[in-house]
Amino acid sequence: MKNRLVVVGTQWGDEGKGKITDYFAQQADVVVRYQGGNNAGHTIEFGGQRYALQSIPSGIFNPHIKNVMANGMVVNPVSVVSELETLESRGVKDYKLFISDRAAVVMPYHSVLDGAAESLKGGKQIGTTKKGIGPAYSDKYDRIGIRMGDLLDGDYFASRLRDALEIKNRELAMYGCEPMSFDTIYAQYMELGRRLGKYICDTSVLINEEIEKGSRVLFEGAQGVMLCIDHGTYPYVTSSSPTASSVPQNTGIAPRYVDNVIGVCKAYTTRVGEGPFPTELEGEIAHNIRERGHEYGTVTGRPRRVGWLDAVVLNHTRRVSGIDYLALMLFDVLSGLDTVKICVAYELDGRRIETMPATIPQFERCKPIYVEMPGWKEDISGIRSFDELPEAAKNYVRKIEELTRIKVAVLSVGPDRTQTVLLHDVF
Ligand code: IMP
């Protein structure tokens, strides 16, 4: 039996990881978020209710599940408290939450610096969520970050904050921003530490103990591999690694404990923020997909850019992250098209390539080479087995498997938990 499953986004984020994590969470004992912070937006729907989570793991609705925010995350305590208050106000009161004492804290100066740095980039913005994620990770690696455990020790936190502000207030001045007050931040974050203190612990010990007991552990990635700091479309990426390979480091477990990886993939592609996107569509098809798929950012509300499915991207993701199975999401959105296309390779400066170039100018010059297939008109949101699909939709799934060499294990044909077809056991 496969007891440890990693859920990874295979594109530029927003693939529907929240739904898949929630689906498999029904069988999990522990759900672990391993990177990113409140830049993510996971939407989960069940029982006619819609919930949007940002940093809290998707197992929070089940009182038996231990939800872990692991050391690889950047945690904004203000956002965590407000997410918990929203959940509680909607009746989600009985939950188990654990926050790593080693997770980096997103501080108030991080979001100000994020916005200020973006505004200086002229036409070359990354299009960040302005949540301070990049500056928080930069401070972590610069060793001037504050960690969640620090908030529980007033003297130590004071000295870390003083040292950080020495530098941060100079940076803020450089951008023409007001300096930040030690006293205000100290009081606010000590209070947040008190509020969240009961959740803060050594989560690596917890996860290892659970694994040794034979518990079923689900690792929940945020964003997608194309936004990975190492393997994504740098610099138009986030500041962490959403790959399955980052799970051991980001959670404090041995690499051998990762059993299966499910790559979550839309039946088409979307992207928010800037950066090249070879299969991007304009016009009516893009508009129809955007409206039918509700393709607007959960965190920022920005309309998402829309394009055809890209097998070069999926093969890249399979290589750099490891992907054992695919979950094909929003499949119902593609109904009604005369033809559907999948990008199989790029043409770069007159040559055919099947791998991802490293630099943005090269990636921008890539022209997609497509296979075109007949579409299907039927509404497929009610199907509950592969056999019920129209032949053209079956062929689309088979083509993806052939092009990527990855088996499709899950089909999602609507937002609700019940609109999910399981084709292979993965967890
Ligand atoms: P940051 O993570 O806020 O630094 O933003 C960097 C890039 O990642 C931008 O293009 C964002 O739009 C993108 N990004 C960050 N989080 C998500 C997400 O959860 N879904 C989709 N894109 C994201």
Side-chain angles (χ1 to χ4, degrees), residues 152-385:
L152 305 182
D153 177 339
D155 291 342
Y156 184 56
F157 174 47
S159 89
R160 294 292 297 166
L161 180 60
R162 243 183 224 107
D163 291 349
L165 277 177
E166 272 293 311
I167 299 166
K168 296 290 129 185
N169 276 338
R170 285 189 170 84
E171 282 179 28
L172 287 167
M174 192 180 86
Y175 287 114
C177 302
E178 289 296 309
M180 292 204 167
S181 140
F182 170 89
D183 290 340
T184 312
I185 300 179
Y186 182 76
Q188 186 192 4
Y189 279 70
M190 282 302 288
E191 181 49 36
L192 288 163
R194 268 190 289 277
R195 167 79 170 80
L196 296 175
K198 59 182 175 206
Y199 307 123
I200 301 174
C201 62
D202 185 335
T203 53
S204 160
V205 169
L206 181 142
I207 302 167
N208 276 281
E209 279 172 4
E210 291 291 333
I211 289 174
E212 280 155 26
K213 274 198 315 206
S215 300
R216 312 184 86 189
V217 187
L218 193 61
F219 296 94
E220 172 181 23
Q223 290 88 40
V225 173
M226 296 305 287
L227 290 171
C228 172
I229 185 77
D230 284 290
H231 299 291
T233 44
Y234 191 89
Y236 298 101
V237 292
T238 192
S239 304
S240 63
S241 174
T243 61
S245 8
S246 83
V247 167
Q249 170 75 7
N250 281 333
T251 62
I253 62 159
R256 68 176 180 281
Y257 286 149
V258 173
D259 284 333
N260 250 348
V261 182
I262 188 153
V264 186
C265 157
K266 274 180 184 162
Y268 46 94
T269 311
T270 61
R271 175 163 202 180
V272 276
E274 306 307 318
F277 179 0
T279 64
E280 185 165 12
L281 286 164
E282 309 278 345
E284 203 186 315
I285 299 183
H287 175 78
N288 286 347
I289 293 179
R290 185 175 301 114
E291 294 311 311
R292 287 170 55 92
H294 309 292
E295 294 296 356
Y296 294 87
T298 325
V299 176
T300 58
R302 291 179 283 180
R304 296 179 184 141
R305 300 158 67 194
V306 173
W308 293 119
L309 189 66
D310 188 338
V312 182
V313 164
L314 295 180
N315 279 313
H316 178 76
T317 305
R318 171 176 52 72
R319 271 191 303 275
V320 302
S321 165
I323 304 284
D324 300 303
Y325 294 95
L326 284 175
L328 194 65
M329 312 303 291
L330 290 126
F331 196 22
D332 54 305
V333 172
L334 285 191
S335 289
L337 297 171
D338 292 330
T339 57
V340 284
K341 294 184 187 180
I342 304 176
C343 172
V344 294
Y346 302 140
E347 188 197 308
L348 173 62
D349 303 335
R351 274 186 313 121
R352 180 189 166 104
I353 59 166
E354 291 180 9
T355 56
M356 193 73 59
T359 67
I360 295 298
Q362 280 187 321
F363 200 30
E364 271 169 349
R365 293 202 302 279
C366 283
K367 296 191 186 71
I369 300 171
Y370 288 116
V371 284
E372 190 163 351
M373 307 168 65
W376 56 95
K377 299 286 177 192
E378 297 88 335
D379 173 10
I380 58 171
S381 61
I383 68 117
R384 295 295 178 266
S385 72

Side-chain angles (χ1 to χ4, degrees), residues 12-14 39-41 126-130 223 227 237-238 272-273 302:
W12 279 278
D14 310 314
N39 49 348
I126 292 167
T128 74
T129 58
K130 299 200 174 77
Q223 290 88 40
L227 290 171
V237 292
T238 192
V272 276
R302 291 179 283 180

Side-chain angles (χ1 to χ4, degrees), residues 113-129:
L113 288 167
D114 195 350
E118 280 281 273
S119 64
L120 264 197
K121 287 182 180 143
K124 293 189 178 156
Q125 281 102 340
I126 292 167
T128 74
T129 58

Side-chain angles (χ1 to χ4, degrees), residues 398-417:
R398 291 181 187 126
K399 195 66 176 175
I400 294 170
E401 292 186 327
E402 177 198 318
L403 291 170
T404 61
R405 293 181 280 140
I406 317 174
K407 285 248 165 281
V408 174
V410 179
L411 292 177
S412 174
V413 291
D416 199 81
R417 261 183 203 165

